Amino acid sequence: MILGRVAGTIVATRKDEKLRGRKLLIVQVLDPETLEPDESKGYQVCVDTVGAGAGEIVITVGGSSSRFAADLKDHPVDTAIVGIVDTVDLKLSPDKVGTASEGGGS
């Protein structure tokens, strides 16, 4: 599972029959310590199964796990949004204390 933020939408009028009616979203992967974008991980294109919207922090799953999400069995899906995050409470080890608060500002 990966934390990400919904950054955009994709409109694809021509697509696999099993993707018709599915909302496709662009999700930017986040660093769980700072909730800032993880530039090394970039973006994912995900099928939304929970009604996520722009700017929301979401949980995504990839690979075969994504095909276990609601109604996606036997669909050509590599990544799916399976949750909308309300809060994140990460307990940092003593050597990392301070990292999370340093990244949340400007």
Side-chain angles (χ1 to χ4, degrees):
M1 295 182 159
I2 294 175
L3 281 177
R5 184 180 306 276
V6 176
T9 60
I10 293 179
V11 176
T13 54
R14 295 176 61 174
K15 56 190 167 192
D16 186 279
E17 187 68 33
K18 291 182 177 180
L19 291 178
R20 291 192 189 276
R22 299 286 181 183
K23 185 165 65 171
L24 302 175
L25 297 175
I26 300 171
V27 173
Q28 187 170 31
V29 176
L30 300 178
D31 179 331
E33 291 184 4
T34 65
L35 297 181
E36 293 294 321
D38 184 337
E39 301 297 338
S40 68
K41 302 285 173 63
Y43 296 87
Q44 302 175 322
V45 175
C46 303
V47 172
D48 181 27
T49 67
V50 293
E56 289 187 302
I57 296 177
V58 295
I59 301 167
T60 68
V61 292
S64 59
S65 295
S66 62
R67 288 181 289 280
F68 286 100
D71 300 326
L72 293 180
K73 185 177 183 197
D74 298 324
H75 285 60
V77 174
D78 191 48
T79 311
I81 296 172
V82 296
I84 299 173
V85 174
D86 295 318
T87 62
V88 175
D89 183 17
L90 180 63
K91 304 295 184 210
L92 299 174
S93 61
D95 62 323
K96 294 212 173 196
V97 171
T99 302
S101 62
E102 292 169 2
S106 54

